[in-house]
């Protein structure tokens, strides 16, 4: 249709408008048509004459995606349209998850794409606060689109020259920010914080008991890992996986200091821990998966003070820095140890007689073989924002948390889970419905309060207006954990969350 | 410019053509303009009025990507434009890898995107044969674009309802294809074959010695893992990581049968191995990272005959099935054991009091916490191709290998590395330059031959025409390993490779 519209336009409309023009104006010779209903995957590249259907198909996909992006940032759009597993499995109107033997038309594939987004959760929505990773960064997104188009693998320079160098430069920059002299050391991007933490335990073991690599755990005395109660469960998982077990052993090996715990956002005192580690010659790992981003902020980096004394650091740009999932780094102070710990020297990948400097092949340092390109989106975001852009983002998120904290700390119906200002963007609180406000402390109140957050959360998801996490912790009954890493969130979204909790919880 | 062109068009031209039209025809009220040089990331969404610059920026990015895609499939385009690390680090014209404190303009970001692709390797090019993962599947690519736009995490149903169900259904389908009764069992997508193989070792250990999870390796006798010499190094890496070591121990625990070795593409006799495993009560793992795809082919699946007797199977759709990286599955016959082995019950993620059926939360089965959505592209490809589409792809690739094998097995100047027809698409051969053809066997010939493949490969990369891998193996000097998983490759590309090897190697 040729009717006027401005501002909001779509790729598809662009195309169809051109098609209409095509009918009227002979001077444009586009041959682009909408996909025919009979078009199938086999008409796409590398098929003969596949270029046009391929471009048409991708255009339609991009149209779906850009519509989704637009709506994601639009507060009048719901965060999610909740359905139970059985509902989605039974099949929503026209959306069938089952796989079949015969191909579907591209037209149906586009419907599948649309429906996949429709029944998903808008993690970039300004009112999505449910996880540590939120937000939809447009530069990061463009980086991911490019990464998947390049579709390569980090294991050798040979097939990922640019990405390998980007990784190297970015890791060096991160080590400089940590404070290791000249940014020396080593590191890798791994599929996530849990794997990064697992690396730290592996490397520590290799450092003190290198013979474990060839002789197994029986070559070492029984070893102990120390970590705080609030640290992330990936440390325990790594211990279990790597054969340490969870019980007390005898020889202290490794201490994990958490920089930004998952629930409270608390920072362990790294310098104090480092003193002990140095005294007893223990490996010090800082799990900054969540809190590492604060290193980018001149105002907040003191919370990680002492991090430069760590032997290894986990830092997930996909959390506080808003980089799309997955993007996690393990950084190691000592050069060469990653290679020593993990190398198996596979001849088919790491030929020593290549024509280029093979120290750029990263594969043998990793516990993975193929390794996804996680660096590009991060590198591109850094280019686009500069270090100062990340700093502003982090300062802004922390300011928003402070705003929330100040808003509710004395507000009727709220109790804070821990005393004092939050160190990170985590604000943990109970909402007490009016009916409970005069109840005496005791088991009955605890039991009722335990059910409040889950109930409000369930109603929140049903109405689709916002999402925030809750959990119990130790002897504390279910409470809300609000976190902010989304660059789209504003004070009005914080206000909205509080209003929504009160609206949904008022009559409980 | 309004001049006519047809067939090949670009998104950007679409836009600019519209802009030109805009000047002449008042009935179209597009306000879309090319990005202003001063536009920066802070003008994009969620910025106020950020919608238009966001769409413009993404349009430009998609234009770069679609141009790249077009060229990838065009045989007149080079596979790569090789540069040494120091060259790229010194900075190519206008392409600076260094990160800075201040933001770059979006204009520069687009240049960076273009250059990143320019100096990369076209892994989807019909003449890229360098790795087990090759090809650029358009449906898979669309799936990845959508996945990164959705930017969520597999750990809970709560934030990835559709993807979690897709994973569940797809894994079930894969287990049915393996041949486990009713497709029962368990599984996960992991970041790659090495991690999938690591899961298999962990689960086996948990099955026979569950106390290792809490008490560490000292709770078990010294354990042995069996695997063939040609198996993938990830099995050894897993053994080292998990605390088994590489030396002989005492109690046999686990046998890995490789279905499609990395270099030769050989299949271990699964049934024979399963007989022994059953007799001695050992865990049987089938590493089908590379060969698993053959299960989709009625003609070739007999090579994995007995796979249904395995306790666990690794199967990487990102290799033989052409799914974009990363996409690897670990499939487990026994239900519940993945959970038993890996669960740590983190309260903040896996609340038991959610309003939906929490058995759909997959996170506690994984050694990861956050887990990238690897399922969607695969699911979408399966939808678009049907099971039969994958079968055709696999049969075609194996036919191409047969064509190559038949072409060179008796051709002057070629020697096959192993006798008999290849079982997979791996064709391993030496090219003997004319100057060496009359040399007697012996150390001198071996030494010269060892240098032939690296030299040809280096020249190949310098000229950028094609890429194929080489390596030594055991006492065999460097030989070429040709593999085909790229759906764009044809017989003419095989012919081209052989011509190219002869052109470059003729005078060695």
């Amino acid at each position: 249709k040729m009717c006027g519209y401005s501002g909001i336009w779509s790729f598809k409309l662009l195309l169809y408008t051109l098609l209409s023009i095509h009918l009227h104006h002979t001077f444009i010779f586009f041959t682009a048509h909408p996909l025919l209903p009979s078009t199938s995957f086999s008409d796409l590249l590398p098929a003969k004459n596949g270029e046009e259907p391929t471009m048409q198909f991708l255009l339609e996909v991009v149209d779906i995606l850009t519509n989704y992006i637009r709506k994601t940032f639009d507060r009048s759009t719901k965060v999610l349209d909740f359905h139970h597993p059985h509902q989605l499995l039974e099949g929503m109107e026209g959306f069938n998850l089952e796989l079949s033997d015969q191909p579907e038309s591209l037209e149906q594939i586009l419907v599948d794409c649309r429906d996949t987004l429709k029944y998903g959760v808008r993690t970039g929505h300004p009112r999505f606060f449910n996880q540590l990773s939120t937000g939809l960064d447009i530069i990061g997104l463009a980086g991911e689109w490019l990464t998947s188009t390049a579709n390569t693998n980090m294991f050798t320079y040979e097939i990922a020259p640019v990405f390998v160098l980007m990784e190297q430069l970015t890791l060096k920059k991160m080590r400089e920010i940590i404070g290791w002299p000249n940014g020396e050391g080593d590191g890798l991007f791994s599929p996530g914080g849990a794997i990064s933490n697992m690396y730290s335990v592996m490397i520590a073991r290799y450092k003190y008991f290198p013979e474990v690599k060839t002789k197994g755990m029986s070559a070492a005395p029984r070893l102990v890992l120390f970590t705080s109660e609030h640290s992330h469960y990936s440390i325990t998982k790594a211990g279990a996986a790597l054969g340490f077990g969870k019980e007390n052993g005898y020889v202290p090996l490794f201490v994990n200091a958490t920089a930004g715990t998952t629930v409270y956002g608390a920072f362990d005192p790294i310098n104090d821990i480092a003193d002990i580690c140095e005294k007893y010659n223990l490996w010090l790992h800082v799990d900054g998966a969540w809190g590492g981003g604060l290193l980018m902020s001149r105002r907040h980096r003191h919370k990680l003070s002492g991090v430069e004394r760590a032997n290894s650091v986990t830092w997930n740009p996909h959390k506080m820095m808003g980089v799309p999932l997955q993007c996690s780094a393990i950084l190691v102070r000592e050069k060469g140890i990653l290679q020593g710990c993990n190398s198996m020297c596979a001849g088919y990948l790491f030929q020593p007689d290549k024509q280029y400097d093979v120290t750029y092949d990263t594969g043998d340092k990793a516990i993975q073989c193929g390794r996804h390109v996680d660096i590009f989106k991060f590198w591109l975001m850094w280019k686009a924002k500069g270090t100062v852009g990340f700093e502003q983002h982090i300062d802004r998120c922390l300011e928003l948390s402070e705003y929330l904290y100040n808003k509710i700390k004395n507000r009727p119906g709220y109790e804070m889970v821990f005393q004092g200002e939050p160190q990170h963007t985590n604000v943990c609180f109970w909402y007490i419905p009016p009916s409970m406000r005069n109840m005496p402390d005791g088991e009955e109140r605890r039991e009722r309060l335990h059910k409040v957050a889950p109930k409000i959360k369930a109603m929140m998801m049903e109405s689709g207006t916002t999402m925030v996490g809750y959990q119990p912790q130790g002897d504390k009954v279910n409470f809300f954990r609000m976190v902010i890493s989304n660059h789209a969130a504003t004070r009005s979204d914080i206000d909205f969350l509080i209003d929504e909790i009160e609206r949904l919880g008022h009559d409980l």
Side-chain angles (χ1 to χ4, degrees), chain A:
Chain A
K1 293 289 161 55
M2 311 284 288
C3 43
Y5 54 97
S6 74
I8 296 170
W9 46 273
S10 85
F11 286 81
K12 203 165 145 189
L13 270 167
L14 257 174
L15 177 64
Y16 294 152
T17 307
L18 269 172
L19 293 171
S20 318
I21 295 167
H22 176 51
L23 301 174
H24 300 281
H25 302 270
T26 52
F27 54 83
I28 305 178
F29 300 105
F30 275 101
T31 56
H33 308 283
L35 283 171
L36 293 175
S38 62
T39 315
S40 89
F41 81 97
S42 57
D43 298 308
L44 303 178
L45 284 171
K48 227 185 140 194
N49 303 322
E51 199 165 284
E52 210 184 302
T54 299
M55 297 302 137
Q56 286 159 4
F57 172 69
L58 289 176
L59 183 92
E60 298 264 5
V61 170
V62 170
D63 181 61
I64 291 167
L65 301 182
T66 49
N67 270 320
Y68 178 83
I69 294 165
R70 249 197 297 270
K71 284 193 188 153
T72 288
F73 289 100
D74 176 357
R75 289 181 174 76
S76 68
T77 305
K78 285 186 175 185
V79 175
L80 80 164
D81 181 9
F82 179 77
H83 292 83
H84 285 281
H86 69 90
Q87 293 174 308
L88 288 174
L89 285 172
E90 282 155 14
M92 311 302 291
E93 219 187 316
F95 186 37
N96 177 6
L97 291 168
E98 290 291 342
L99 299 165
S100 71
D101 288 347
Q102 296 305 316
E104 280 185 359
S105 71
L106 292 187
E107 217 181 16
Q108 180 59 42
I109 291 298
L110 292 171
V111 172
D112 291 340
C113 286
R114 226 171 269 123
D115 286 342
T116 297
L117 291 171
K118 182 174 170 194
Y119 298 111
V121 176
R122 297 180 184 278
T123 60
H125 194 287
R127 290 170 185 166
F128 177 81
F129 303 112
N130 208 63
Q131 312 296 146
L132 304 186
S133 305
T134 63
L136 182 60
D137 186 277
I138 300 297
I139 306 282
L141 178 63
E144 271 297 74
W145 286 3
L146 185 146
T147 300
S148 38
T149 309
N151 191 31
T152 195
N153 187 318
M154 293 298 287
F155 53 34
T156 60
Y157 178 85
E158 188 171 326
I159 64 164
V162 182
F163 298 130
V164 163
L165 297 178
M166 284 173 175
E167 182 175 71
Q168 197 188 63
L169 288 169
T170 309
L171 287 169
K172 181 161 194 289
K173 193 93 183 171
M174 292 171 87
R175 289 190 302 262
E176 282 166 11
I177 291 169
I178 285 173
W180 290 334
N182 302 316
E184 287 289 328
D186 209 339
L188 275 178
F189 281 82
S190 92
I195 305 274
S196 292
N197 284 338
M198 183 188 271
Y199 270 111
S200 73
V201 179
M202 287 177 64
I203 304 164
R205 183 177 63 184
Y206 179 74
K207 172 74 177 173
Y208 293 99
F209 302 97
E211 60 278 18
V212 168
K213 183 177 176 182
T214 49
K215 297 190 179 159
M217 283 296 268
S218 58
R222 292 193 61 187
L223 304 169
V224 204
L225 314 176
F226 292 94
T227 190
S228 76
E229 218 178 300
H230 282 211
S231 70
H232 192 259
Y233 68 90
S234 56
I235 301 286
T236 332
K237 278 208 181 187
L242 304 178
F244 289 87
K246 293 197 292 181
E247 291 208 350
N248 288 344
Y250 305 106
V251 179
L253 170 75
F254 169 103
V255 180
N256 172 58
T258 307
T261 60
T262 314
V263 177
Y264 287 5
F267 287 76
D268 283 339
I270 302 179
N271 269 319
D272 295 347
I273 295 173
D275 288 344
I276 295 170
C277 289
E278 280 167 18
K279 184 164 169 197
Y280 295 103
N281 190 27
L282 304 176
W283 185 276
L284 173 59
H285 176 65
V286 172
D287 177 4
W290 172 227
L294 270 61
L295 289 169
M296 306 297 282
S297 160
R298 280 164 287 191
R299 197 180 313 160
H300 296 289
R301 66 165 288 142
H302 69 89
K303 293 170 187 170
L304 290 100
S305 159
V307 65
E308 71 284 356
R309 297 170 67 186
N311 299 92
S312 55
V313 177
T314 291
W315 175 354
N316 289 8
H318 72 213
K319 292 199 167 80
M320 196 56 211
M321 294 168 77
V323 179
L325 269 170
Q326 57 190 45
C327 192
S328 166
I330 170 73
L331 299 133
V332 186
R333 194 168 63 190
E334 182 177 328
K335 240 184 167 166
I337 195 166
L338 250 182
Q339 182 84 21
C341 177
N342 291 320
S343 67
M344 292 288 165
C345 302
Y348 77 98
L349 274 177
F350 313 118
Q351 305 89 332
D353 45 13
K354 291 180 181 179
Q355 88 270 37
Y356 61 84
D357 177 356
V358 295
T359 60
Y360 287 93
D361 288 350
T362 65
D364 216 19
K365 288 186 203 174
I367 56 168
Q368 300 190 258
C369 173
R371 189 160 59 93
H372 189 260
V373 178
D374 297 331
I375 183 60
F376 182 68
K377 57 196 165 195
F378 182 33
W379 179 89
L380 198 69
M381 282 174 69
W382 204 322
K383 278 277 188 185
K385 290 172 196 283
T387 312
V388 296
F390 282 122
E391 178 175 43
Q392 283 158 8
H393 166 68
I394 281 152
D395 288 351
R396 239 187 109 262
C397 288
L398 277 125
E399 272 163 39
L400 278 180
S401 292
E402 214 183 306
Y403 173 77
L404 169 62
Y405 172 73
N406 287 325
K407 182 180 174 114
I408 61 174
K409 69 177 174 187
N410 297 317
R411 190 181 177 92
Y414 290 80
E415 281 178 27
M416 305 311 287
V417 173
F418 56 89
Q419 294 314 306
E421 285 206 14
Q423 293 182 279
H424 204 321
T425 72
N426 308 49
V427 181
C428 295
F429 61 91
W430 287 282
Y431 170 71
I432 322 286
S435 70
M436 286 181 60
R437 290 188 195 160
N438 296 320
M439 273 181 85
D441 242 352
E443 203 43 44
E444 196 196 330
R445 185 176 186 273
R446 278 175 56 83
E447 273 174 29
R448 270 188 65 185
L449 188 55
H450 189 57
K451 292 178 186 148
V452 169
K455 273 188 196 155
I456 293 177
K457 172 73 176 276
M459 288 188 282
M460 215 173 238
M461 285 177 67
E462 302 281 350
S463 63
T465 46
T466 180
M467 276 177 86
V468 60
Y470 74 86
Q471 66 282 298
Q473 171 97 28
D475 60 355
K476 297 185 162 69
V477 300
N478 279 321
F479 55 86
F480 286 113
R481 178 203 64 175
M482 172 69 176
V483 279
I484 298 163
S485 60
N486 191 337
H487 64 154
T490 62
R491 291 188 174 200
S492 73
D493 299 308
I494 307 283
D495 294 340
F496 180 87
L497 175 81
I498 293 302
D499 289 349
E500 197 63 3
I501 287 175
E502 293 174 2
R503 180 179 77 85
L504 298 167
H506 189 269
D507 297 328
L508 290 181

